[in-house]
Amino acid sequence: QKEVEQNSGPLSVPEGAIASLNCTYSDRGSQSFFWYRQYSGKSPELIMFIYSNGDKEDGRFTAQLNKASQYVSLLIRDSQPSDSATYLCAVYNQGGKLIFGQGTELSVKP
Amino acid sequence: DTEVTQTPKHLVMGMTNKKSLKCEQHMGHRAMYWYKQKAKKPPELMFVYSYEKLSINESVPSRFSPECPNSSLLNLHLHALQPEDSALYLCASSQVLSLAKNIQYFGAGTRLSVL
């Protein structure tokens, strides 16, 4: 089992819709969870982090964490073509390393 | 300001060349990281420095040699690379090396091509 798993996509949504990105992790002791956005040919950019169970909202983005189910998600409301990118879920393991999922490619169609 | 600066942006080198990648941050962060990223793959950790000391080496071949001359600067020295080492090399920094609430900020990366 991979430490961090994401659906690779591509996930295609129409402009204005809600995009839902999912991530599961295997280390029950993980405390910190991150979502990075990466445009093609660019470096990862942090968009959300979450440490506690529940929801965290920042503008059009909502991160959801369920530690019991070992599940993290990212919702993007009112999706825009500029949101088209690869979204990387990342989780610290007990060894102190930030482990990335394979990334979900999101395509927002005008 | 969460800026991590990497130079050069692009680098082409032959298999017999010696070159260096440079990374700089002025956020007062005491942990710095090198990652390698191939196309359509997530970043792979190579090295971690904490308080200018090497903390993690992910069994990286010796043709990659990291150096942390001071708390703001991180170098990656390259020698006798192979074509399969062509990738995007990313530097990141965070306040400290810890498990909790430790946000890593990435530089723009150096796109390396080995001919």
Side-chain angles (χ1 to χ4, degrees), chain A residues 31-32 34 36 38 40-46 49 51 88 92-98 100-103 105, chain B residues 33 35 37 40-43 45 56 58 88 90 94 97-109 111:
Chain A
Q31 303 174 42
S32 309
F34 306 87
Y36 286 86
Q38 188 170 26
S40 182
K42 302 294 186 183
S43 64
E45 173 194 8
L46 179 73
F49 58 90
Y51 308 131
L88 296 162
Y92 275 107
N93 70 5
Q94 292 292 307
K97 298 175 195 171
L98 189 62
F100 288 88
Q102 290 296 305
E105 187 182 343
Chain B
Y33 311 77
Y35 289 86
Q37 188 176 26
K40 304 282 188 188
K41 296 289 185 187
L45 184 65
I56 297 175
E58 289 288 277
L88 180 66
L90 296 162
S94 66
L97 181 64
S98 73
L99 296 178
K101 303 182 181 181
N102 188 28
I103 295 173
Q104 291 188 27
Y105 297 96
F106 285 83
R111 176 76 57 191

Side-chain angles (χ1 to χ4, degrees), chain B residues 7 13 19 21 37 77 81 96 101 103 105 111 114:
Chain B
T7 53
M13 60 187 289
K19 297 285 186 184
L21 309 185
Q37 188 176 26
H77 302 298
L81 294 193
V96 291
K101 303 182 181 181
I103 295 173
Y105 297 96
R111 176 76 57 191
V114 182

Side-chain angles (χ1 to χ4, degrees), chain A residues 29-78:
Chain A
S30 296
Q31 303 174 42
S32 309
F33 308 87
F34 306 87
W35 284 99
Y36 286 86
R37 176 176 63 197
Q38 188 170 26
Y39 292 111
S40 182
K42 302 294 186 183
S43 64
E45 173 194 8
L46 179 73
I47 53 170
M48 290 289 283
F49 58 90
I50 187 165
Y51 308 131
S52 305
N53 271 334
D55 294 2
K56 179 181 177 183
E57 190 174 313
D58 184 1
R60 296 186 297 113
F61 299 97
T62 299
Q64 299 174 316
L65 174 60
N66 184 326
K67 288 187 178 180
S69 301
Q70 294 174 248
Y71 176 91
V72 190
S73 66
L74 179 70
L75 299 177
I76 306 175
R77 288 182 299 283
D78 188 23

